[in-house]
């Protein structure tokens, strides 16, 4: 039997509709400032889709484009200005940044109350304490998908592949907060397959085509494929081989699973930031 595909596209559309309804009740529209430095084509695509999402949700989007050779001082000055502006609720600096800009320095300069990506150490700390204010968009999107499909992590073996600040680590924290027993695997993990086989909920965020094979999946497991890779034909794909679908009970498609949820959660965070500030 094939796994039920978890429809992130449909759920994201529902969430964005709800955000729009709430935005319409506010006196002034929530405002998200998006900062893009340089001309990384993938980043430009991400920023365009975020702007489109804002439009759909009734969120005002301020677009700041800076040249590739922007200095740290210049970017910090823009962040400081956006921090100060009363009409700006959320600030998003699109990553990755050109080499001369230290991501940590820039992210730490964003006012934690406007940190809609939840990358600031203050917000990361709150997540660690199970008292989050903003949830990082990708892991939050995964949790919403689990909820929609009535998958409760409490008491389950949860295995996360990846330990990045953006996906793996916060994902592990949210599953832990939800009552899962969590194992985090990474490139130094000795026997990845053995860990994966124990998982009731397996989240893969490695970014490696073909990493998760069907023999690594427990029958009936819920498999969340976060990765966005390109296969040899240039087609978008996740970490899982196709046959994982024959073993899992639920599986996120790539595309159409976690990706749209990530974008929807940014809209939720922007609304939350606006509600908190007013
Ligand atoms: P990253 O490169 O920062 O981290 C990858 C992690 O996977 C690392 O911690 C590494 O230790 C681990 N890993 C890599 N190869 C492995 C292997 N062979 N065995 C075990 N562990 C391994 O990447 P990231 O930013 O966390 O993103 C991960 C993937 O998720 C990428 O494909 C990215 O495109 C995708 N992503 C998707 C969304 C979305 O909205 N769907 C959002 C963010 C990232």
């Amino acid at each position: 039997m094939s796994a039920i595909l978890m429809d992130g596209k449909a759920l994201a559309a529902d969430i964005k509709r709800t955000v729009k309804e709430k935005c319409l009740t506010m006196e002034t529209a929530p405002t998200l400032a998006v900062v893009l430095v340089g001309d990384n084509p993938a980043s430009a695509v991400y920023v365009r889709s975020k702007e489109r999402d804002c439009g759909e949700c009734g969120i005002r989007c301020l677009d700041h484009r800076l040249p590739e050779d922007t200095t740290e001082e210049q970017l910090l000055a823009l962040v400081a200005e956006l921090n100060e502006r009363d009409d700006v609720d959320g600030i998003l600096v699109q990553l990755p940044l050109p080499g001369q800009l230290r991501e940590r320095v820039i992210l730490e300069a964003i006012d934690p109350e406007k940190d809609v990506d939840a990358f600031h150490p203050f917000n990361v700390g709150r997540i660690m304490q199970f008292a989050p204010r903003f949830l990082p968009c990708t892991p939050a999107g995964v949790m919403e998908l689990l909820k929609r499909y009535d998958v409760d992590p409490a008491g389950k073996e949860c295995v996360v592949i990846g330990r990045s600040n953006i996906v793996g680590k916060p994902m592990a924290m949210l599953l832990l907060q939800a009552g899962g027993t969590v194992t985090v695997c990474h490139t130094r993990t000795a026997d990845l397959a053995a860990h994966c086989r124990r998982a009731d909920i397996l989240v893969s965020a490695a970014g490696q085509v073909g990493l998760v094979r069907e023999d690594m999946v427990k029958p009936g497991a819920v498999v969340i494929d976060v990765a966005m890779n390109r296969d040899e034909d240039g087609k978008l794909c996740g970490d899982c081989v196709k046959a994982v679908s024959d073993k899992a009970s639920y599986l996120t498609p790539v595309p159409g699973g976690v990706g749209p949820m990530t974008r929807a959660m940014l809209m939720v965070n922007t609304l939350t930031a606006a509600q908190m500030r007013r």
Side-chain angles (χ1 to χ4, degrees):
M1 244 204 20
S2 275
I4 294 170
L5 292 181
M6 302 170 96
D7 192 344
K9 211 170 153 189
L11 178 53
D14 277 357
I15 290 172
K16 286 194 280 183
R17 258 192 303 277
T18 308
V19 170
K20 183 179 183 177
E21 280 164 20
K22 292 189 176 151
C23 287
L24 287 175
T25 66
M26 298 178 81
E27 212 163 285
T28 53
T31 299
L32 174 66
V34 178
V35 181
L36 174 61
V37 187
D39 32 39
N40 177 328
S43 294
V45 170
Y46 289 139
V47 164
R48 266 202 303 279
S49 54
K50 286 166 188 173
E51 289 166 353
R52 213 169 34 239
D53 292 333
C54 285
E56 278 175 41
C57 292
I59 289 173
R60 188 166 71 113
C61 187
L62 303 179
D63 190 13
H64 293 270
R65 310 256 164 162
L66 300 179
E68 182 79 26
D69 60 357
T70 298
T71 64
E72 211 166 82
E73 211 180 1
Q74 288 167 326
L75 182 53
L76 286 171
L78 174 60
V79 169
E81 180 199 319
L82 296 171
N83 283 342
E84 282 302 312
R85 275 179 63 168
D86 201 39
D87 65 329
V88 171
D89 298 299
I91 302 170
L92 181 146
V93 177
Q94 183 65 43
L95 302 180
L97 290 169
Q100 75 279 15
L101 304 171
R102 289 169 296 172
E103 281 179 7
R104 182 190 290 275
V105 170
I106 303 303
L107 296 179
E108 287 185 12
I110 294 173
D111 180 347
E113 290 193 3
K114 298 187 177 186
D115 173 37
V116 286
D117 258 339
F119 293 160
H120 190 286
F122 182 84
N123 286 317
V124 175
R126 300 216 28 169
I127 293 161
M128 288 285 292
Q129 294 177 338
F130 295 169
R133 182 164 53 183
F134 299 114
L135 294 175
C137 299
T138 301
V142 171
M143 296 309 287
E144 285 297 318
L145 266 175
L146 293 177
K147 213 184 292 167
R148 169 60 66 102
Y149 286 86
D150 279 331
V151 180
D152 181 0
K156 305 243 169 55
E157 288 289 333
C158 304
V159 173
V160 178
I161 310 176
R163 57 173 169 178
S164 71
N165 289 330
I166 295 177
V167 190
K169 276 191 273 185
M171 185 74 253
M173 278 302 133
L174 299 193
L175 289 166
L176 188 62
Q177 185 179 2
T181 302
V182 183
T183 304
V184 182
C185 299
H186 45 83
T187 41
R188 307 293 298 274
T189 297
D191 189 348
L192 178 67
H195 289 290
C196 291
R197 272 185 218 112
R198 284 190 294 102
D200 301 308
I201 299 174
L202 175 61
V203 180
S204 189
Q208 301 285 324
V209 179
L211 178 68
V212 180
R213 303 178 314 267
E214 68 277 21
D215 61 297
M216 294 161 70
V217 175
K218 179 171 162 178
V222 174
V223 180
I224 306 288
D225 196 342
V226 176
M228 290 201 294
N229 309 311
R230 296 273 166 192
D231 67 13
E232 50 202 18
D233 303 321
K235 250 181 74 185
L236 203 59
C237 67
D239 287 343
C240 297
V241 302
K242 267 210 176 89
V244 164
S245 165
D246 301 329
K247 289 288 277 299
S249 56
Y250 291 94
L251 175 65
T252 54
V254 181
V258 178
M261 291 302 298
T262 298
R263 287 169 46 186
M265 297 320 288
L266 176 66
M267 300 297 105
V268 171
N269 282 353
T270 305
L271 171 65
T272 305
Q275 287 171 330
M276 279 182 339
R277 297 184 63 253
R278 291 170 198 192

